[in-house]
Amino acid sequence: MLMGEIDLWRLFDIIGTLAFAVSGTLVGLSRRMDIFGISVLALATAVGGGMVRDLLVGLTPPMALRDTTNFLLSVGVALSTSFLYQWTELHHMQRRRLLTIFNVSDTIGLAAFTITGALTGVRFGGADSYVLPILLAATTAVGGGMIRDVLAKRMPVVLYAEVYAAASLVGAFVFCALGGTLGIETVSWLAFLLVLLIRFAAIHWNWSLYHPRPPKRHHEEKESLE
């Protein structure tokens, strides 16, 4: 990467780390974990997807293990959010408001890591490549959240939520399609905002992908046999 691209990648990496650390912390708090468990969940969410991305392109050890910045940021977020939860009115907030904070932080992390994954894909796959940037964008964006949900014994959000991974895929595709025309910095911010827009719209209007379901008559027959 050129120096400008490295700075851009680092900016989105920090944004995504902070945002996903918040979402991981909130899940840990909702599961009544202790501070160690909460910190582990924040770390897994914040660096898990990036570690998988690095392994896919042969970066070993992964960048998260060579630079302690993301570890320190994640633990700092876990500790500070847990402190606020216990000693402020945060724990008295309605579940709906906490869910809103989770959705906002999770969406920002999804969008930011879509860009870091796409930038990494361009570095290793070339400016004309679509497959690698899109694959790495989606892997980075959803990997940490999947690890978080598995550790917390939840069905991974990516498997059932409103348009989630699809938002990352669309953003990554736009990044690849327009990168040569608009330039890396401009298209990075455009794709970032697009992922935010799609995901927030999906949450607000309850958009979802197609869910295969049996015909109603078949469903009723099945119930009658049980």
Side-chain angles (χ1 to χ4, degrees):
M1 291 185 188
L2 300 175
M3 183 56 66
E5 293 179 17
I6 293 175
D7 292 340
L8 187 66
W9 185 94
R10 191 58 181 156
L11 173 61
F12 281 111
D13 188 53
I14 291 174
I15 292 173
T17 297
L18 292 173
F20 266 160
V22 170
S23 75
T25 299
L26 290 176
V27 172
L29 289 169
S30 72
R31 292 302 197 197
R32 300 293 189 267
M33 294 183 177
D34 61 20
I35 194 61
F36 179 78
I38 291 170
S39 298
V40 168
L41 218 57
L43 272 170
T45 313
V47 306
M51 293 179 70
V52 175
R53 173 202 65 217
D54 291 348
L55 292 175
L56 287 175
V57 296
L59 284 175
T60 54
M63 295 184 68
L65 299 181
R66 288 183 281 167
D67 184 351
T68 60
T69 301
N70 287 355
F71 275 80
L72 295 176
L73 286 175
S74 300
V75 173
V77 167
L79 295 176
S80 58
T81 304
S82 299
F83 178 82
L84 289 172
Y85 183 81
Q86 180 173 358
W87 299 106
T88 69
E89 294 299 311
L90 187 61
H91 64 284
H92 291 308
M93 293 178 65
Q94 296 179 354
R95 183 178 180 276
R96 185 178 182 85
R97 291 185 179 180
L98 287 173
L99 180 61
T100 298
I101 296 174
F102 170 82
N103 283 331
V104 169
S105 62
D106 197 56
T107 299
I108 293 173
L110 180 79
F113 280 162
T114 293
I115 306 306
T116 63
L119 287 170
T120 303
V122 168
R123 175 189 176 189
F124 286 91
D128 297 327
S129 173
Y130 275 51
V131 176
L132 188 60
I134 291 175
L135 172 64
L136 294 183
T139 299
T140 311
V142 308
M146 292 185 70
I147 296 172
R148 173 199 66 207
D149 293 340
V150 169
L151 291 176
K153 295 185 177 180
R154 305 186 340 156
M155 179 183 290
V157 174
V158 66
L159 299 182
Y160 71 89
E162 306 89 348
V163 176
Y164 191 82
S168 176
L169 292 172
V170 171
F173 179 82
V174 169
F175 177 95
C176 294
L178 301 180
T181 303
L182 300 179
I184 291 296
E185 183 173 357
T186 300
V187 80
S188 293
W189 286 108
L190 176 63
F192 174 77
L193 293 174
L194 181 60
V195 175
L196 290 180
L197 178 63
I198 294 174
R199 178 64 184 140
F200 283 137
I203 294 172
H204 182 74
W205 283 295
N206 198 30
W207 293 347
S208 61
L209 300 178
Y210 170 63
H211 284 250
R213 289 184 174 85
K216 184 176 181 181
R217 185 178 65 180
H218 175 75
H219 181 65
E220 290 174 348
E221 291 176 352
K222 181 181 179 180
E223 288 183 339
S224 66
L225 295 175
E226 293 177 347

